[in-house]
């Protein structure tokens, strides 16, 4: 395996070079109040196609959208992040609930960020046109703790940023992700200086190590939902099963609190309900919140809150959220 310094040196150099060019071009685009719509749509289609396919078959996604050089970096990066050599499944889990973010610049290299809000880490991918067919493909990749995108300074604090917020967890995750998204956009259009421009190779190494720890924290936090133990986690599983049964029978009003938005919930596409998977679980002094994100539409997630234990628990809150709803609030 190449050393971490060698692995990330080309990416760091590319980022440094592009950050010198992007703000000037993007400022002109901002003045025109538009991006190149044709390029934007092309890059969005390529990036989302990659994410969607990677969430099911990562190796097929690489074959379709990535260069051999980037494939090698993906493999080596995966070993460091997921702590195993056969890491295609781990990459699929990462992409299943990641959000796509970028600013189309018209430069030779385009940056596309895949934000995984649940682990609070971001994959940065560099895309360029290949001579063979002039298609945009991934040419390099790197992983970052999203807190650094939001402006965190050395020494970098390890941990999911939204877990340190005082807000209700489903709201905190939306607010923190909005800060990450808006920072990427503001840096892309030259509104602010890009926090990645000053990263050294040693700090880039720290990004990978920190991201690996945050991914492990994220995965470990879900274990109670899959264990056979009793307690409030068991009550959460039962509550979720009751909700899903009520969805199928169109009887949500029978299991949810009186102030629940039943009309809105009944209008949700059954396919979206079926795509929900657990991505967060927090419990505290007899209260628990579990969040379920859609692999079909990562912008959407549902939150279920209960109070009690496995002997007696009641649902205190249930609703759907969208990450996009938090963006304008954060910008203001």
């Amino acid at each position: 395996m190449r050393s971490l310094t060698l692995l990330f040196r080309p990416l760091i150099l590319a980022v440094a070079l592009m950050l010198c060019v992007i703000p000037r071009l993007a400022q002109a685009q901002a003045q025109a109040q538009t991006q190149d719509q044709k390029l934007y749509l092309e890059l969005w289609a390529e990036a989302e196609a990659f994410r969607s396919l990677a969430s099911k078959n990562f190796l097929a996604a690489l074959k379709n959208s990535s260069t051999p050089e980037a494939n090698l970096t993906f493999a080596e990066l995966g070993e460091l992040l997921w702590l195993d050599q056969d890491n295609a499944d781990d990459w699929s889990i990462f992409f299943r609930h990641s959000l796509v973010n970028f600013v189309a610049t018209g430069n030779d290299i385009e940056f596309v960020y895949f934000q995984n809000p649940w682990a609070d880490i971001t994959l940065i991918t560099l895309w360029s046109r290949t001579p063979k067919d002039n298609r945009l493909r991934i040419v390099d990749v790197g992983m970052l703790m999203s807190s650094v995108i939001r402006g965190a300074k050395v020494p970098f604090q390890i941990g999911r940023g939204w877990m340190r917020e005082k807000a209700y967890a489903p709201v905190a995750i939306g607010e923190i992700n909005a800060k990450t998204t808006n920072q990427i956009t503001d840096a892309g259009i030259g509104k602010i200086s890009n926090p990645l421009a000053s990263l050294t190779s040693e700090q880039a190494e720290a990004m990978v190590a920190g991201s690996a720890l945050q991914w492990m924290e994220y995965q470990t936090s879900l274990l109670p939902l899959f264990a056979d133990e009793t307690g409030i986690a068991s009550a959460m599983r039962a509550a979720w099963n009751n909700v899903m049964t009520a969805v199928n029978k169109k009887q949500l009003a029978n299991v949810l609190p009186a102030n629940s938005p039943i009309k809105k919930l009944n209008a949700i596409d059954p396919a979206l309900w079926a795509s929900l998977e657990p991505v967060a679980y927090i419990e505290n002094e007899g209260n628990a919140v579990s969040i379920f994100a859609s692999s079909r539409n990562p912008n959407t997630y549902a939150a279920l809150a209960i109070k009690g234990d496995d002997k007696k628990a009641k649902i205190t809150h249930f609703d759907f959220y969208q990450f996009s709803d938090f963006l304008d609030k954060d910008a203001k």
Side-chain angles (χ1 to χ4, degrees):
M1 185 195 307
R2 288 178 289 173
S3 71
L4 276 171
T5 300
L6 290 176
L7 179 61
F8 283 94
R9 187 170 182 273
L11 177 62
I12 294 167
L13 291 176
V15 170
L17 174 63
M18 293 301 295
L19 291 179
C20 293
V21 178
I22 287 176
R24 292 195 293 272
L25 175 63
Q27 283 169 357
Q29 290 179 326
Q31 291 172 356
Q33 296 183 343
T34 183
Q35 297 183 55
D36 182 329
Q37 289 302 302
K38 183 178 179 181
L39 174 61
Y40 178 89
L41 292 174
E42 179 187 12
L43 189 55
W44 171 261
E46 292 285 1
E48 178 56 26
F50 173 70
R51 186 208 67 81
S52 181
L53 182 55
S55 70
K56 304 176 184 69
N57 188 327
F58 177 64
L59 297 180
L62 290 184
K63 184 177 181 180
N64 183 64
S65 302
S66 184
T67 60
E69 295 78 12
N71 293 349
L72 178 60
T73 305
F74 263 119
E76 296 181 335
L77 185 58
E79 289 182 35
L80 300 171
L81 290 168
W82 323 131
L83 305 180
D84 62 60
Q85 293 185 346
D86 186 16
N87 49 60
D89 288 343
D90 299 286
W91 279 114
S92 289
I93 295 171
F94 171 84
F95 282 110
R96 191 146 57 229
H97 301 117
S98 289
L99 303 162
V100 178
N101 191 16
F102 65 91
V103 173
T105 66
N107 287 296
D108 290 340
I109 295 178
E110 300 284 353
F111 288 77
V112 177
Y113 301 78
F114 294 91
Q115 297 163 231
N116 187 292
W118 311 107
D120 201 20
I121 59 178
T122 297
L123 179 75
I124 178 173
T125 60
L126 280 63
W127 295 65
S128 186
R129 296 193 184 278
T130 52
K132 181 179 179 180
D133 56 11
N134 204 39
R135 254 192 68 196
L136 287 164
R137 284 189 172 85
I138 300 172
V139 297
D140 207 350
V141 298
M143 186 67 78
L144 306 164
M145 295 187 295
S146 297
S147 60
V148 176
I149 296 174
R150 296 191 295 270
K153 306 297 182 183
V154 178
F156 302 122
Q157 187 174 3
I158 305 298
R160 296 170 291 170
W162 58 272
M163 288 289 291
R164 294 191 287 269
E165 298 296 303
K166 295 181 179 180
Y168 180 47
V171 174
I173 184 70
E175 292 176 342
I176 287 293
N177 184 74
K179 293 182 184 298
T180 306
T181 298
N182 286 330
Q183 284 290 103
I184 290 172
T185 302
D186 287 349
I189 64 173
K191 184 176 180 180
I192 62 171
S193 59
N194 196 308
L196 308 182
S198 60
L199 281 182
T200 66
S201 59
E202 289 77 14
Q203 290 167 350
E205 294 176 24
M207 291 298 93
V208 179
S211 296
L213 289 173
Q214 287 183 201
W215 183 260
M216 186 180 300
E217 178 186 297
Y218 152 65
Q219 294 277 281
T220 302
S221 70
L222 296 175
L223 291 179
L225 291 177
F226 300 98
D228 291 329
E229 61 190 36
T230 59
I232 196 166
S234 175
M236 178 63 76
R237 292 196 299 271
W240 178 249
N241 289 337
N242 289 339
V243 169
M244 292 303 293
T245 298
V247 168
N248 294 330
K249 294 182 177 180
K250 300 187 183 303
Q251 296 177 352
L252 279 172
N254 294 341
V255 298
L256 297 184
N259 61 349
S260 299
I262 300 299
K263 186 175 180 179
K264 181 185 82 171
L265 297 175
N266 284 335
I268 292 174
D269 184 354
L272 182 62
W273 282 102
S275 69
L276 293 173
E277 300 173 332
V279 288
Y281 177 70
I282 310 103
E283 63 177 61
N284 180 38
E285 298 180 352
N287 297 282
V289 178
S290 190
I291 305 177
F292 303 82
S294 169
S295 57
R296 186 167 177 258
N297 178 7
N299 183 52
T300 300
Y301 58 99
L304 173 64
I306 65 171
K307 182 179 181 65
D309 55 30
D310 61 321
K311 298 180 178 63
K312 185 178 181 181
K314 66 176 182 177
I315 296 174
T316 57
H317 174 82
F318 182 82
D319 203 355
F320 274 81
Y321 299 81
Q322 291 190 316
F323 283 111
S324 55
D325 289 341
F326 292 91
L327 294 179
D328 290 339
K329 294 179 182 178
D330 178 73
K332 294 176 182 178

